Amino acid sequence: MGEHIMTSTTDSGAISLTPELKSKKGVSPIWILPLIAIIIAAWLVYRSIVNAGIDVTITFKNAQGIEAGKTQVIYRGMPIGLVKKLEINKDFQSVDVLVQFVKEAKDQLKKDTAFWKVAPEISTRGITGLETLLKGNYITMMPGEGEETDHFEALSEPPPFRSDTPGLHIRAFTEDLGALKAGSGIYYKGIKVGEIIQTLLNDKTDVVLDLFIQEKYSDLVKKTTKFFNISGIAFEGGLSGFSLKAESLESLLLGGISFLTPEHESKTQNAKDDDTFRLYKDRNRAEQEGQKFTVYFNDGKGLTDKTQIKYRGVEVGRAFSVELDEKTDGVRLQVTMQQQYRQFLRDDTQFWVVRPELGLAETRNLDTLFSGAYLTFRPGKGKPGRTFKGLSNPPGEVATRDGLHVVLVSERLGSLKSGDPVYFRQVKVGEVTDCRLSEDATSTLIGVDIQKKYAPIVRTTSKFWKASGLNVDFSLFTGAKIKTESMAALLEGGIAFATPGSPDVEEKKEAKSKGVVVDGSKNSEKKKVEPKIGTQVLGSPVKNGATFELYSEPQEEWLKWRPKIALGKGN
Amino acid sequence: MVDRPLTAKDAGFLPCLVCHKLSVIQDDDGVQQRCSRCGAKLHARKPDSIARTWALLLTSFIMLFPAYLLPIMTVTSFGHRYPSTIMEGIEHFIQDGTYFIGFLIFFASILVPVFKLLGITLILLSIQRNWKTSLRQKAVMLRIIRFIGRWSMLDIFVIAIMVALVNLGSLTTIEAAPAATFFAMVVVLTMLAATSFDTRHLWENTL
């Protein structure tokens, strides 16, 4: 390549001062760069327009935990919006939260759409929103209907009703809601199968509960299903043991209800939406729903609205209300009797209350100390009845006893009372069933029931005396002798009797002294042998209602009678 | 008559930009002249210098917007994502009271890139508009621009180190967000723009 030197001269025509740069044709490829940049920028702009969120204002009464740029709106676990800005309302009563939603949410932002804040909450309703402890509070929503709008009022707590969930929607009525709340669970055999959607007070002062049963469990609810409250702890105790029942911790804290379908009705139709049920106070009430009847008492001591009705020790029903009755100036006890026992309710059925009795000698019905007094009855044979007059004391047990009933006549009653034992050779063979004045009030009549087995012992010649108290025999030579029946008789009183006769009356006509004597020494008995007085002939058996005189103390002779009598059969 | 010193070009020479050897301009059209010593291509001025600079500059300008507006870093802490833009990051540091770091980041990622872009724009404009004032200062500015260009990558380095260091699984992780790419491109493109510019244009037609 040869060299070509251009020199600068003052001759402007000969020398070109302009650079000899060759201008290239076309555009430099470097311009692709800004082009690409513009494309990227355009794409970004386009995307931001297409994905432009929807700005919506949600007014919260309290925006605690909501942070601009952090708090999300999460629906079914997916973030669909982000809080952009928080502004206090002009009246300083609420906070406007500006939320930008993804554009897909547009169709859901209708007038009835509900928003609420999810925060960790540990309360009686349970522990909720635990995930927000780590992630922070969030806002969630429930789509609703209506016109589109961009301003919402947030709910202060989650809406109760999730109408979109498939399942069984039924209602229950109850008088008292107790610890139940919207959100309380419905349990079946301890499994949560649904929940209380909402609770309303209807105009009839009943509480109406909207219940929701999950679809897969809806078959469990029949037309005849009974719902009952299982809130809290059920405590039942008695001498036979204590039981403490709580359905689940959740139901303990939150309250809950459960249900059962009586076995004989389990084949009935399934419940349908909007069926109504009664909500019982507890399981027992639901189980024992049956014939209702009323018993009037003079005194309601020991009666509660949980008082049981027992017959022969078996619970057959339960009271559900006890209140004062103005008409009879007493207490009205309303009771339900289980269906299968309703035939006991006859108009001559007698009811009385069994209360604990503590005595020096005898303590009875101790179980009622713990389980409370209970109601019992003696079934009648009349027409079916629904209203009864309760007895203050157990009735004379004439009719219920199939033993021998005899009447003793005494001048005074002494310390005898109904229920006192009747002894024969210190063996209890019967009971005083009732004590009353004779018609002309000249004496007292004491009804005595001798057990069937021992009935043959009572003969026309039998002698009855009061075994109550002490018989003190004091003499200079023999010293003091204190005679009494058994210790129980000493303390509590009772009646003893003896029947004349000897083991082999015909042959020996000899009496063997074997009294019912407690004097501290068996030997002393021998000394008291006395000449026989010829009354040792075994009398004939007596019939029901036979009357005897009741002596205040036995004669020595009676105590030596030893008849030989075959006992009757029986218990 | 031109009242200015003779330039190499005026004198018919081409300086080699690699080994600085002066070569005589040859007049054979269409043939690219090469340095007789080192073989580099010879140009009187860097080819398309101004156009290239403009192109790179414009690209940088465009990229600057996503770089500043999009989040540059996402901190995921306990399942919650906290994306933050450069400005938010600076704000955060300032609010925290760590003014030094806040200012450093502000300087490196906002002041410097904007200064570079505006500076190069000014120089380009002054060439095209033939503004002949304060040429010496403009030259100083260009030198500064070239010098500090590399420091703008500070942000990117910080993010790179954070992403590598803070990776505690579900507790806290840091991810680079889209703006990081754009920001890196801005930095690289401005550096290219600054170097693709032929300084000699500044003094073209001057004393």
Side-chain angles (χ1 to χ4, degrees), chain A residues 1-6 8 10 17 19-22 24 28 30-31 33-34 37-38 40-41 44 70-72 134-135, chain B residues 1-2 6 9-11 24-30 44 48 51-52 54-56 58-59 62-63 66 78 80 82 182 189:
Chain A
M1 288 183 274
E3 287 199 337
H4 180 93
I5 303 165
M6 289 179 76
S8 73
T10 50
L17 286 176
E20 296 204 349
L21 294 171
K22 287 155 194 155
K24 283 182 182 168
S28 162
I30 199 73
W31 285 104
L33 270 182
I38 286 170
I40 291 174
L44 286 174
K70 284 183 185 162
T71 307
Q72 292 174 311
L134 294 182
K135 294 179 70 176
Chain B
M1 181 66 205
V2 185
L6 185 70
K9 203 173 77 179
D10 295 340
V24 179
I25 295 174
Q26 293 175 342
D27 222 358
D28 352 339
D29 282 342
D48 286 337
R52 273 187 202 188
W54 268 123
L56 292 165
L58 282 179
T59 317
I62 293 165
M63 293 299 188
F78 294 110
H80 202 290
Y82 302 97
F182 291 110
L189 288 170

Short mmCIF file of all heavy atoms in Angstrom, two decimals, chain A residues 1-6 8 10 17 19-22 24 28 30-31 33-34 37-38 40-41 44 70-72 134-135, chain B residues 1-2 6 9-11 24-30 44 48 51-52 54-56 58-59 62-63 66 78 80 82 182 189:
data_model
loop_
_atom_site.label_atom_id
_atom_site.label_comp_id
_atom_site.label_asym_id
_atom_site.label_seq_id
_atom_site.Cartn_x
_atom_site.Cartn_y
_atom_site.Cartn_z
N MET A 1 0.83 -1.19 0.00
CA MET A 1 0.00 0.00 0.00
C MET A 1 0.87 1.25 0.00
O MET A 1 1.76 1.41 0.84
CB MET A 1 -0.89 0.02 1.25
CG MET A 1 -1.99 -1.03 1.16
SD MET A 1 -3.05 -0.92 2.57
CE MET A 1 -2.19 -1.93 3.69
N GLY A 2 0.67 2.09 -0.95
CA GLY A 2 1.48 3.31 -1.03
C GLY A 2 0.99 4.37 -0.08
O GLY A 2 -0.13 4.33 0.37
N GLU A 3 1.83 5.24 0.23
CA GLU A 3 1.46 6.31 1.17
C GLU A 3 1.00 7.55 0.42
O GLU A 3 1.57 7.93 -0.59
CB GLU A 3 2.67 6.64 2.06
CG GLU A 3 2.93 5.56 3.08
CD GLU A 3 3.78 6.10 4.20
OE1 GLU A 3 4.49 7.08 3.98
OE2 GLU A 3 3.70 5.52 5.32
N HIS A 4 -0.01 8.10 0.99
CA HIS A 4 -0.55 9.30 0.37
C HIS A 4 -0.71 10.33 1.45
O HIS A 4 -1.55 10.21 2.34
CB HIS A 4 -1.91 8.96 -0.28
CG HIS A 4 -2.54 10.13 -0.95
ND1 HIS A 4 -2.36 10.43 -2.29
CD2 HIS A 4 -3.35 11.11 -0.48
CE1 HIS A 4 -3.04 11.51 -2.61
NE2 HIS A 4 -3.65 11.96 -1.51
N ILE A 5 0.19 11.33 1.37
CA ILE A 5 0.17 12.34 2.42
C ILE A 5 -0.49 13.59 1.91
O ILE A 5 -0.13 14.13 0.88
CB ILE A 5 1.60 12.66 2.89
CG1 ILE A 5 2.27 11.37 3.35
CG2 ILE A 5 1.60 13.71 3.99
CD1 ILE A 5 3.75 11.53 3.49
N MET A 6 -1.51 13.93 2.72
CA MET A 6 -2.16 15.19 2.38
C MET A 6 -1.58 16.28 3.28
O MET A 6 -1.49 16.11 4.48
CB MET A 6 -3.67 15.08 2.61
CG MET A 6 -4.34 14.17 1.57
SD MET A 6 -6.08 14.03 1.89
CE MET A 6 -6.62 15.59 1.30
N SER A 8 -1.58 20.17 4.68
CA SER A 8 -2.51 21.29 4.83
C SER A 8 -1.88 22.54 4.21
O SER A 8 -0.72 22.85 4.45
CB SER A 8 -2.80 21.52 6.31
OG SER A 8 -1.70 22.09 6.94
N THR A 10 -2.75 26.70 2.83
CA THR A 10 -3.67 27.81 3.00
C THR A 10 -4.65 27.87 1.86
O THR A 10 -5.61 28.62 1.88
CB THR A 10 -2.92 29.12 3.10
OG1 THR A 10 -2.00 29.20 2.00
CG2 THR A 10 -2.18 29.20 4.43
N LEU A 17 -10.89 20.04 4.47
CA LEU A 17 -10.72 20.00 5.91
C LEU A 17 -11.68 19.02 6.58
O LEU A 17 -11.55 18.68 7.74
CB LEU A 17 -10.95 21.39 6.51
CG LEU A 17 -9.81 22.38 6.25
CD1 LEU A 17 -10.16 23.74 6.80
CD2 LEU A 17 -8.52 21.85 6.81
N PRO A 19 -13.21 15.55 7.55
CA PRO A 19 -12.61 14.23 7.67
C PRO A 19 -13.06 13.34 6.53
O PRO A 19 -14.20 13.38 6.12
CB PRO A 19 -13.15 13.69 9.01
CG PRO A 19 -14.00 14.75 9.59
CD PRO A 19 -14.14 15.84 8.60
N GLU A 20 -12.14 12.54 6.12
CA GLU A 20 -12.50 11.67 5.01
C GLU A 20 -13.08 10.38 5.53
O GLU A 20 -12.53 9.30 5.35
CB GLU A 20 -11.24 11.39 4.16
CG GLU A 20 -10.71 12.64 3.51
CD GLU A 20 -9.90 12.36 2.27
OE1 GLU A 20 -9.59 11.17 2.04
OE2 GLU A 20 -9.60 13.30 1.54
N LEU A 21 -14.14 10.51 6.22
CA LEU A 21 -14.78 9.31 6.76
C LEU A 21 -15.80 8.84 5.76
O LEU A 21 -16.60 9.61 5.26
CB LEU A 21 -15.48 9.62 8.08
CG LEU A 21 -14.53 10.00 9.23
CD1 LEU A 21 -15.33 10.50 10.41
CD2 LEU A 21 -13.65 8.82 9.60
N LYS A 22 -15.70 7.58 5.54
CA LYS A 22 -16.67 7.04 4.59
C LYS A 22 -17.98 6.78 5.32
O LYS A 22 -18.01 6.08 6.33
CB LYS A 22 -16.17 5.72 3.98
CG LYS A 22 -15.06 5.99 2.99
CD LYS A 22 -14.20 4.77 2.87
CE LYS A 22 -12.90 5.16 2.15
NZ LYS A 22 -11.82 4.24 2.51
N LYS A 24 -21.12 4.97 6.00
CA LYS A 24 -21.59 3.65 5.61
C LYS A 24 -23.07 3.71 5.29
O LYS A 24 -23.82 4.50 5.87
CB LYS A 24 -21.37 2.66 6.74
CG LYS A 24 -19.92 2.23 6.84
CD LYS A 24 -19.77 1.23 7.94
CE LYS A 24 -18.30 0.82 8.07
NZ LYS A 24 -18.11 0.06 9.30
N SER A 28 -26.44 1.20 11.72
CA SER A 28 -25.50 0.38 12.47
C SER A 28 -26.27 -0.70 13.25
O SER A 28 -27.33 -0.43 13.81
CB SER A 28 -24.73 1.27 13.45
OG SER A 28 -24.15 0.47 14.44
N ILE A 30 -25.80 -1.79 15.97
CA ILE A 30 -25.88 -1.49 17.40
C ILE A 30 -27.27 -1.03 17.80
O ILE A 30 -27.69 -1.14 18.95
CB ILE A 30 -24.82 -0.42 17.78
CG1 ILE A 30 -24.54 -0.43 19.29
CG2 ILE A 30 -25.26 0.95 17.34
CD1 ILE A 30 -23.75 -1.60 19.72
N TRP A 31 -28.01 -0.53 16.83
CA TRP A 31 -29.37 -0.03 17.14
C TRP A 31 -30.34 -1.17 17.48
O TRP A 31 -31.45 -0.92 17.93
CB TRP A 31 -29.89 0.80 15.98
CG TRP A 31 -29.22 2.14 15.95
CD1 TRP A 31 -28.24 2.54 15.09
CD2 TRP A 31 -29.46 3.22 16.83
NE1 TRP A 31 -27.83 3.81 15.37
CE2 TRP A 31 -28.57 4.26 16.47
CE3 TRP A 31 -30.31 3.44 17.92
CZ2 TRP A 31 -28.52 5.48 17.12
CZ3 TRP A 31 -30.26 4.65 18.56
CH2 TRP A 31 -29.38 5.66 18.16
N LEU A 33 -29.84 -3.02 19.89
CA LEU A 33 -29.88 -3.01 21.36
C LEU A 33 -31.04 -2.17 21.91
O LEU A 33 -31.87 -2.69 22.66
CB LEU A 33 -28.55 -2.49 21.91
CG LEU A 33 -27.48 -3.56 22.18
CD1 LEU A 33 -26.24 -2.91 22.75
CD2 LEU A 33 -28.03 -4.60 23.14
N PRO A 34 -31.09 -0.88 21.54
CA PRO A 34 -32.25 -0.13 22.05
C PRO A 34 -33.57 -0.72 21.59
O PRO A 34 -34.57 -0.66 22.31
CB PRO A 34 -32.06 1.28 21.49
CG PRO A 34 -30.94 1.21 20.55
CD PRO A 34 -30.17 -0.03 20.80
N ALA A 37 -34.35 -3.35 23.90
CA ALA A 37 -34.74 -2.74 25.17
C ALA A 37 -36.17 -2.24 25.10
O ALA A 37 -36.96 -2.40 26.04
CB ALA A 37 -33.80 -1.60 25.51
N ILE A 38 -36.50 -1.64 23.95
CA ILE A 38 -37.86 -1.12 23.81
C ILE A 38 -38.87 -2.27 23.83
O ILE A 38 -39.92 -2.19 24.48
CB ILE A 38 -37.99 -0.30 22.51
CG1 ILE A 38 -37.28 1.05 22.72
CG2 ILE A 38 -39.44 -0.09 22.13
CD1 ILE A 38 -37.13 1.84 21.44
N ILE A 40 -38.51 -5.15 25.31
CA ILE A 40 -38.64 -5.64 26.69
C ILE A 40 -39.51 -4.68 27.50
O ILE A 40 -40.43 -5.09 28.22
CB ILE A 40 -37.24 -5.78 27.34
CG1 ILE A 40 -36.49 -6.92 26.67
CG2 ILE A 40 -37.36 -6.02 28.83
CD1 ILE A 40 -35.05 -7.04 27.14
N ALA A 41 -39.20 -3.39 27.34
CA ALA A 41 -39.97 -2.41 28.11
C ALA A 41 -41.44 -2.48 27.72
O ALA A 41 -42.32 -2.47 28.58
CB ALA A 41 -39.42 -1.02 27.87
N LEU A 44 -43.01 -5.41 29.26
CA LEU A 44 -43.25 -5.20 30.69
C LEU A 44 -44.48 -4.33 30.92
O LEU A 44 -45.31 -4.62 31.78
CB LEU A 44 -42.03 -4.55 31.34
CG LEU A 44 -40.81 -5.46 31.55
CD1 LEU A 44 -39.64 -4.64 32.07
CD2 LEU A 44 -41.15 -6.57 32.52
N LYS A 70 -47.59 -6.03 52.57
CA LYS A 70 -47.28 -7.34 53.12
C LYS A 70 -48.53 -8.20 53.27
O LYS A 70 -48.52 -9.37 52.94
CB LYS A 70 -46.61 -7.19 54.48
CG LYS A 70 -45.16 -6.76 54.34
CD LYS A 70 -44.47 -6.67 55.67
CE LYS A 70 -43.06 -6.11 55.47
NZ LYS A 70 -42.52 -5.61 56.72
N THR A 71 -49.56 -7.63 53.82
CA THR A 71 -50.75 -8.43 54.09
C THR A 71 -51.43 -8.82 52.78
O THR A 71 -51.64 -8.00 51.90
CB THR A 71 -51.73 -7.64 54.97
OG1 THR A 71 -51.02 -7.19 56.11
CG2 THR A 71 -52.89 -8.50 55.38
N GLN A 72 -51.72 -10.10 52.70
CA GLN A 72 -52.31 -10.60 51.47
C GLN A 72 -53.78 -10.90 51.66
O GLN A 72 -54.25 -11.09 52.78
CB GLN A 72 -51.60 -11.88 51.03
CG GLN A 72 -50.17 -11.64 50.59
CD GLN A 72 -49.47 -12.94 50.32
OE1 GLN A 72 -49.50 -13.86 51.13
NE2 GLN A 72 -48.83 -13.04 49.18
N LEU A 134 -46.75 -17.29 61.74
CA LEU A 134 -45.52 -17.19 60.97
C LEU A 134 -45.69 -16.25 59.79
O LEU A 134 -44.81 -15.46 59.49
CB LEU A 134 -45.10 -18.57 60.46
CG LEU A 134 -44.70 -19.56 61.54
CD1 LEU A 134 -44.27 -20.86 60.92
CD2 LEU A 134 -43.58 -18.99 62.38
N LYS A 135 -46.82 -16.36 59.12
CA LYS A 135 -46.97 -15.63 57.89
C LYS A 135 -47.52 -14.24 58.10
O LYS A 135 -47.55 -13.43 57.18
CB LYS A 135 -47.89 -16.38 56.94
CG LYS A 135 -47.30 -17.71 56.46
CD LYS A 135 -48.27 -18.43 55.55
CE LYS A 135 -48.39 -17.70 54.23
NZ LYS A 135 -49.26 -18.44 53.31
N MET B 1 -9.30 29.34 5.89
CA MET B 1 -8.22 29.13 6.84
C MET B 1 -8.79 28.68 8.18
O MET B 1 -9.73 29.24 8.72
CB MET B 1 -7.46 30.48 7.00
CG MET B 1 -6.30 30.39 7.95
SD MET B 1 -5.01 29.30 7.27
CE MET B 1 -4.22 28.78 8.72
N VAL B 2 -8.31 27.62 8.68
CA VAL B 2 -8.79 27.09 9.97
C VAL B 2 -7.82 27.49 11.06
O VAL B 2 -6.64 27.22 10.95
CB VAL B 2 -8.91 25.56 9.91
CG1 VAL B 2 -9.52 25.04 11.21
CG2 VAL B 2 -9.72 25.14 8.72
N LEU B 6 -3.03 21.57 13.87
CA LEU B 6 -3.09 20.48 12.90
C LEU B 6 -3.34 19.17 13.63
O LEU B 6 -2.75 18.89 14.67
CB LEU B 6 -1.74 20.41 12.16
CG LEU B 6 -1.64 19.42 11.02
CD1 LEU B 6 -2.52 19.90 9.84
CD2 LEU B 6 -0.21 19.25 10.62
N LYS B 9 -5.21 13.63 11.59
CA LYS B 9 -6.05 13.35 10.44
C LYS B 9 -5.81 14.39 9.35
O LYS B 9 -5.69 14.07 8.17
CB LYS B 9 -7.51 13.35 10.87
CG LYS B 9 -8.40 12.57 9.94
CD LYS B 9 -9.81 12.46 10.51
CE LYS B 9 -10.54 13.77 10.32
NZ LYS B 9 -11.90 13.72 10.83
N ASP B 10 -5.74 15.66 9.82
CA ASP B 10 -5.51 16.72 8.86
C ASP B 10 -4.19 16.49 8.14
O ASP B 10 -4.05 16.74 6.95
CB ASP B 10 -5.45 18.09 9.57
CG ASP B 10 -6.78 18.45 10.20
OD1 ASP B 10 -7.81 17.85 9.76
OD2 ASP B 10 -6.82 19.26 11.14
N ALA B 11 -3.24 15.97 8.93
CA ALA B 11 -1.92 15.76 8.36
C ALA B 11 -1.83 14.48 7.55
O ALA B 11 -0.78 14.11 7.07
CB ALA B 11 -0.88 15.71 9.48
N VAL B 24 0.13 6.47 7.52
CA VAL B 24 -0.34 7.43 6.51
C VAL B 24 -1.67 6.94 5.94
O VAL B 24 -1.85 5.75 5.70
CB VAL B 24 0.70 7.57 5.36
CG1 VAL B 24 0.19 8.54 4.31
CG2 VAL B 24 2.02 8.06 5.94
N ILE B 25 -2.60 7.86 5.83
CA ILE B 25 -3.91 7.47 5.30
C ILE B 25 -3.77 7.08 3.85
O ILE B 25 -3.17 7.79 3.05
CB ILE B 25 -4.91 8.64 5.42
CG1 ILE B 25 -5.17 8.96 6.90
CG2 ILE B 25 -6.22 8.30 4.72
CD1 ILE B 25 -6.03 10.19 7.08
N GLN B 26 -4.25 5.96 3.52
CA GLN B 26 -4.19 5.50 2.13
C GLN B 26 -5.55 5.74 1.50
O GLN B 26 -6.57 5.73 2.18
CB GLN B 26 -3.85 4.02 2.09
CG GLN B 26 -2.43 3.79 2.58
CD GLN B 26 -2.10 2.31 2.67
OE1 GLN B 26 -3.00 1.48 2.69
NE2 GLN B 26 -0.82 2.02 2.71
N ASP B 27 -5.52 5.86 0.29
CA ASP B 27 -6.75 6.29 -0.35
C ASP B 27 -7.50 5.19 -1.08
O ASP B 27 -8.41 5.46 -1.85
CB ASP B 27 -6.43 7.44 -1.33
CG ASP B 27 -7.50 8.51 -1.21
OD1 ASP B 27 -8.44 8.29 -0.40
OD2 ASP B 27 -7.40 9.53 -1.88
N ASP B 28 -7.03 3.91 -0.87
CA ASP B 28 -7.73 2.87 -1.63
C ASP B 28 -9.09 2.64 -1.02
O ASP B 28 -9.24 2.21 0.12
CB ASP B 28 -6.98 1.53 -1.66
CG ASP B 28 -5.60 1.66 -1.06
OD1 ASP B 28 -5.11 2.79 -1.01
OD2 ASP B 28 -5.08 0.64 -0.58
N ASP B 29 -10.05 2.97 -1.78
CA ASP B 29 -11.43 2.83 -1.30
C ASP B 29 -11.80 1.39 -1.05
O ASP B 29 -11.40 0.49 -1.76
CB ASP B 29 -12.40 3.41 -2.35
CG ASP B 29 -12.43 4.92 -2.27
OD1 ASP B 29 -11.99 5.42 -1.21
OD2 ASP B 29 -12.88 5.55 -3.21
N GLY B 30 -12.56 1.23 -0.06
CA GLY B 30 -13.13 -0.10 0.20
C GLY B 30 -12.21 -1.04 0.93
O GLY B 30 -12.64 -2.09 1.39
N ALA B 44 -9.78 6.68 11.47
CA ALA B 44 -9.49 8.06 11.86
C ALA B 44 -10.24 8.35 13.17
O ALA B 44 -9.72 8.98 14.08
CB ALA B 44 -9.97 9.01 10.77
N ASP B 48 -18.63 4.67 13.74
CA ASP B 48 -20.00 4.81 14.26
C ASP B 48 -20.01 5.15 15.74
O ASP B 48 -20.96 4.81 16.46
CB ASP B 48 -20.81 3.53 14.06
CG ASP B 48 -21.19 3.37 12.60
OD1 ASP B 48 -21.23 4.40 11.90
OD2 ASP B 48 -21.47 2.25 12.18
N ALA B 51 -23.10 7.09 17.00
CA ALA B 51 -24.34 6.32 16.85
C ALA B 51 -24.38 5.17 17.86
O ALA B 51 -25.38 4.93 18.53
CB ALA B 51 -24.44 5.76 15.43
N ARG B 52 -23.25 4.46 17.98
CA ARG B 52 -23.20 3.34 18.93
C ARG B 52 -23.45 3.80 20.35
O ARG B 52 -24.20 3.20 21.11
CB ARG B 52 -21.81 2.69 18.89
CG ARG B 52 -21.72 1.64 17.83
CD ARG B 52 -20.39 0.95 17.98
NE ARG B 52 -20.05 0.33 16.71
CZ ARG B 52 -19.02 -0.48 16.55
NH1 ARG B 52 -18.23 -0.72 17.58
NH2 ARG B 52 -18.77 -1.01 15.38
N TRP B 54 -24.98 6.42 21.30
CA TRP B 54 -26.39 6.77 21.44
C TRP B 54 -27.24 5.51 21.65
O TRP B 54 -28.12 5.47 22.53
CB TRP B 54 -26.92 7.51 20.20
CG TRP B 54 -26.82 9.00 20.29
CD1 TRP B 54 -26.17 9.83 19.42
CD2 TRP B 54 -27.41 9.83 21.27
NE1 TRP B 54 -26.29 11.14 19.79
CE2 TRP B 54 -27.06 11.16 20.96
CE3 TRP B 54 -28.17 9.60 22.41
CZ2 TRP B 54 -27.46 12.25 21.72
CZ3 TRP B 54 -28.57 10.69 23.15
CH2 TRP B 54 -28.22 12.00 22.81
N ALA B 55 -26.99 4.51 20.83
CA ALA B 55 -27.80 3.29 20.91
C ALA B 55 -27.68 2.65 22.30
O ALA B 55 -28.68 2.32 22.94
CB ALA B 55 -27.38 2.30 19.84
N LEU B 56 -26.42 2.53 22.75
CA LEU B 56 -26.21 1.92 24.06
C LEU B 56 -26.83 2.77 25.17
O LEU B 56 -27.44 2.28 26.12
CB LEU B 56 -24.71 1.75 24.32
CG LEU B 56 -24.04 0.71 23.42
CD1 LEU B 56 -22.53 0.85 23.48
CD2 LEU B 56 -24.46 -0.69 23.85
N LEU B 58 -29.37 4.86 24.89
CA LEU B 58 -30.84 4.76 24.91
C LEU B 58 -31.28 3.45 25.56
O LEU B 58 -32.23 3.42 26.35
CB LEU B 58 -31.37 4.85 23.47
CG LEU B 58 -31.41 6.27 22.90
CD1 LEU B 58 -31.94 6.26 21.46
CD2 LEU B 58 -32.29 7.16 23.77
N THR B 59 -30.56 2.38 25.18
CA THR B 59 -30.90 1.09 25.79
C THR B 59 -30.81 1.17 27.31
O THR B 59 -31.69 0.72 28.03
CB THR B 59 -29.95 0.00 25.28
OG1 THR B 59 -29.78 0.16 23.88
CG2 THR B 59 -30.53 -1.38 25.55
N ILE B 62 -33.71 3.01 28.77
CA ILE B 62 -34.94 2.20 28.80
C ILE B 62 -34.86 1.18 29.93
O ILE B 62 -35.81 0.99 30.68
CB ILE B 62 -35.15 1.53 27.43
CG1 ILE B 62 -35.45 2.59 26.38
CG2 ILE B 62 -36.31 0.53 27.51
CD1 ILE B 62 -35.33 2.08 24.97
N MET B 63 -33.67 0.57 30.03
CA MET B 63 -33.52 -0.47 31.05
C MET B 63 -33.58 0.11 32.47
O MET B 63 -33.88 -0.59 33.43
CB MET B 63 -32.17 -1.18 30.88
CG MET B 63 -32.09 -2.00 29.62
SD MET B 63 -33.32 -3.28 29.59
CE MET B 63 -32.82 -4.19 28.15
N PRO B 66 -37.28 -0.38 34.35
CA PRO B 66 -37.55 -1.64 35.08
C PRO B 66 -36.57 -1.87 36.21
O PRO B 66 -36.94 -2.40 37.25
CB PRO B 66 -37.43 -2.72 34.00
CG PRO B 66 -36.77 -2.09 32.85
CD PRO B 66 -37.05 -0.63 32.92
N PHE B 78 -40.21 -16.87 56.65
CA PHE B 78 -41.34 -17.59 57.24
C PHE B 78 -42.52 -17.66 56.29
O PHE B 78 -43.65 -17.41 56.66
CB PHE B 78 -41.76 -16.92 58.54
CG PHE B 78 -40.73 -17.02 59.60
CD1 PHE B 78 -40.04 -15.91 60.01
CD2 PHE B 78 -40.43 -18.26 60.16
CE1 PHE B 78 -39.06 -16.03 60.98
CE2 PHE B 78 -39.47 -18.37 61.14
CZ PHE B 78 -38.78 -17.25 61.55
N HIS B 80 -43.42 -15.83 54.02
CA HIS B 80 -43.96 -14.58 53.48
C HIS B 80 -42.90 -13.92 52.63
O HIS B 80 -41.75 -13.78 53.03
CB HIS B 80 -44.37 -13.65 54.61
CG HIS B 80 -45.37 -12.64 54.16
ND1 HIS B 80 -45.05 -11.63 53.31
CD2 HIS B 80 -46.69 -12.53 54.42
CE1 HIS B 80 -46.13 -10.91 53.07
NE2 HIS B 80 -47.14 -11.43 53.73
N TYR B 82 -41.17 -10.85 50.79
CA TYR B 82 -41.05 -9.39 50.87
C TYR B 82 -40.19 -8.93 49.71
O TYR B 82 -38.98 -8.82 49.84
CB TYR B 82 -40.39 -8.97 52.18
CG TYR B 82 -41.10 -9.44 53.42
CD1 TYR B 82 -40.69 -10.58 54.08
CD2 TYR B 82 -42.19 -8.73 53.91
CE1 TYR B 82 -41.35 -11.00 55.21
CE2 TYR B 82 -42.85 -9.16 55.05
CZ TYR B 82 -42.42 -10.29 55.70
OH TYR B 82 -43.07 -10.71 56.82
N PHE B 182 -32.03 -6.20 34.95
CA PHE B 182 -32.09 -4.94 34.24
C PHE B 182 -31.02 -3.98 34.75
O PHE B 182 -30.38 -3.27 33.97
CB PHE B 182 -33.48 -4.32 34.39
CG PHE B 182 -34.53 -5.08 33.66
CD1 PHE B 182 -35.49 -5.81 34.34
CD2 PHE B 182 -34.56 -5.09 32.27
CE1 PHE B 182 -36.45 -6.51 33.67
CE2 PHE B 182 -35.53 -5.81 31.59
CZ PHE B 182 -36.47 -6.52 32.29
N LEU B 189 -24.22 -1.68 29.96
CA LEU B 189 -24.44 -0.89 28.75
C LEU B 189 -23.85 0.51 28.89
O LEU B 189 -23.28 1.04 27.93
CB LEU B 189 -25.94 -0.79 28.45
CG LEU B 189 -26.56 -2.09 27.93
CD1 LEU B 189 -28.07 -1.98 27.92
CD2 LEU B 189 -26.03 -2.42 26.54
#
